[in-house]
Amino acid sequence: MATSSGPQAGPARVLSTVDAAAIGVAAMLGAGVFAVFAPAALGAGAWLPVAIVIAGAVAYCNAISSARLAARHPENGGTYVYGRERLGEMWGYLAGWSFVVGKVASCAAMALTLATYVLPGWEKPLAVAVVVALATLNLQGVRRSTVVVKTLVVLVLAVLAAVFVAMVLSGRLAAVAEVDGMGPWPGSFGVLGSAGMIFFAFAGYARITTLGGEVRDPRTTIPRAVTLALGGVSVLYLAIGTGLLIVLGRERLTTSTAPMVDAVRVAGFPMLVPFVVAGAVLACTGALLSLLLGVSRTVAAMASDGHLPRWLGASHTRLGVPHRAEITVAAVVIVLVMVVDLAGAIAFSAFGVLVYYAIANASALRLGPHEDRPPLIAPVGGLAGCVVLATSLPLPVVAIGMAVLGAGAGVWWLLHRTSSC
């Protein structure tokens, strides 16, 4: 007979503010930085730095709201749980649906980014092959270790530092006048739509908000870590985005498929190209592997809860992985890879994630004064920012995104009508 050994100890509170901030930076610095500035510059032009600041500000509001909700609802699921508990079951479901939709598009964007840097002109076939290979690995239960994650982050930082140093040494950053000042105002939709796309590159900051049980004094540590991480990444993105804009110029940046590679070539350091390509490949591979794993688990969890067809929640009897969800997610990613371009995948991903965080901010507004609710400016600013940025994305993306949300609501209604009959 098994004997009880008493209550299990929770996770040790060993993480400092700097530790938590480093984890947040690691989650944000991924493949997005290699791909997002070209399509974003298409809308914002020389006002790209303003779009970066707006995206960072909205991300900060979202992170503060998510942190307070995570403290109140310390369970897996994120806004899927917050929306359900604070706004109603359908809103929680729509948050989960938006997360899956946005992150599936992220998978397509990561695969296309990797393929664009490795084999320009053959992006789609290579991207499909990469998705198939990584989905096959995930079916075997492969998980990345913490050491691998840290190694990838160090490599990405090294690549970004090398690109920036090359741009500085080119002497072009000193000739800011070549950018022709700030250029003509591209219109609110131009700047805000670009900010919505850049939001894609900030994805991952919410990782900090899930560390409540592992940091020392989480009530003060988590807000400080969020500020440090988002502040540091915003400065880095400002430096890289502005540098690309100046070195390549507006026209070349907006048409570049691999802006980091083009930047080191124009700067006069072509020997750095293999280094930049290797960094992009590893960043995209790590992000895509993690995304495929996380999205498939979310799909399986929603299926087990009855919010998606239940057959998607089945696990393989030998491997113990949700193989049907894995295969279905990979298949949808492959379809997206074949029918959309990189800019479209980024914009669609941003739409889904912005809707997800809009629901998070709306949920935070339902926290009472006794529940350590955030300062009102965070959920209000975050909710308004998410709605404005989502609706400022390219009109076809917004139309398709709304149709997909409507389809999700229809699935929820059908499943619940069936279960109630």
Side-chain angles (χ1 to χ4, degrees):
M1 180 182 294
T3 58
S4 173
S5 58
Q8 298 294 316
R13 295 186 180 275
V14 297
L15 299 179
S16 66
T17 299
V18 174
D19 293 331
I23 291 172
V25 171
M28 281 183 280
L29 277 185
V33 70
F34 288 92
V36 76
F37 293 121
L42 186 61
W47 294 78
L48 180 64
V50 176
I52 295 172
V53 171
I54 293 172
V58 173
Y60 180 77
C61 291
N62 295 347
I64 294 298
S65 294
S66 297
R68 300 299 173 89
L69 286 163
R72 189 63 184 170
H73 301 283
E75 54 186 293
N76 293 332
T79 304
Y80 177 48
V81 173
Y82 313 150
R84 182 190 68 203
E85 297 298 321
R86 296 288 164 173
L87 302 173
E89 189 173 349
M90 187 188 76
W91 290 104
Y93 164 81
L94 284 177
W97 178 267
S98 299
F99 175 85
V100 169
V101 167
K103 293 305 181 181
V104 165
S106 290
C107 290
M110 296 301 96
L112 287 167
T113 300
L114 184 155
T116 298
Y117 273 84
V118 174
L119 204 59
W122 294 86
E123 295 92 344
K124 291 186 182 293
L126 180 57
V128 169
V130 169
V131 172
V132 171
L134 294 183
T136 302
L137 282 176
N138 278 340
L139 283 171
Q140 306 305 313
V142 173
R143 292 177 181 269
R144 294 179 300 153
S145 69
T146 303
V147 173
V148 173
V149 173
K150 291 179 178 178
T151 301
L152 289 175
V153 172
V154 170
L155 180 58
V156 172
L157 282 172
V159 169
L160 295 180
V163 172
F164 186 72
V165 169
M167 291 190 294
V168 170
L169 293 178
S170 73
R172 289 174 174 260
L173 295 187
V176 179
E178 291 183 13
V179 187
D180 192 23
M182 288 297 287
W185 172 246
S188 298
F189 278 105
V191 172
L192 294 174
S194 295
M197 284 196 169
I198 293 167
F199 187 85
F200 166 83
F202 280 99
Y205 59 83
R207 176 70 181 92
I208 303 173
T209 69
T210 65
L211 299 174
E214 301 172 62
V215 298
R216 297 191 290 266
D217 191 14
R219 289 189 62 179
T220 57
T221 296
I222 289 179
R224 288 174 182 170
V226 166
T227 302
L228 277 175
L230 277 168
V233 170
S234 295
V235 170
L236 180 62
Y237 285 176
L238 272 171
I240 297 295
T242 305
L244 291 172
L245 186 65
I246 294 172
V247 170
L248 296 179
R250 289 195 298 269
E251 294 302 319
R252 182 159 184 175
L253 176 57
T254 57
T255 58
S256 175
T257 56
M260 299 288 187
V261 167
D262 289 343
V264 295
R265 282 179 175 153
V266 170
F269 295 89
M271 72 290 294
L272 290 177
V273 169
F275 181 53
V276 174
V277 171
V281 168
L282 289 180
C284 292
T285 301
L288 182 54
L289 187 64
S290 177
L291 280 171
L292 287 171
L293 193 72
V295 174
S296 63
R297 268 58 178 179
T298 301
V299 168
M302 291 179 70
S304 297
D305 290 343
H307 295 316
L308 288 175
R310 290 191 180 274
W311 63 270
L312 285 170
S315 292
H316 195 279
T317 53
R318 180 172 61 85
L319 299 174
V321 299
H323 58 297
R324 291 176 180 171
E326 284 272 12
I327 293 170
T328 301
V329 168
V332 174
V333 172
I334 288 171
V335 170
L336 280 178
V337 164
M338 297 304 297
V339 301
V340 302
D341 58 9
L342 178 57
I346 289 174
F348 195 70
S349 172
F351 181 88
V353 176
L354 284 164
V355 170
Y356 174 83
Y357 280 112
I359 295 174
N361 283 295
S363 301
L365 284 171
R366 300 297 296 270
L367 289 170
H370 61 288
E371 296 179 297
D372 193 26
R373 65 183 177 191
L376 192 60
I377 191 172
V380 171
L383 176 58
C386 286
V387 172
V388 169
L389 295 190
T391 54
S392 298
L393 290 166
L395 187 58
V397 171
V398 176
I400 295 172
M402 293 300 294
V404 171
L405 281 179
V411 170
W412 184 86
W413 181 78
L414 284 173
L415 289 173
H416 282 72
R417 183 185 182 190
T418 301
S419 61
S420 63
C421 289

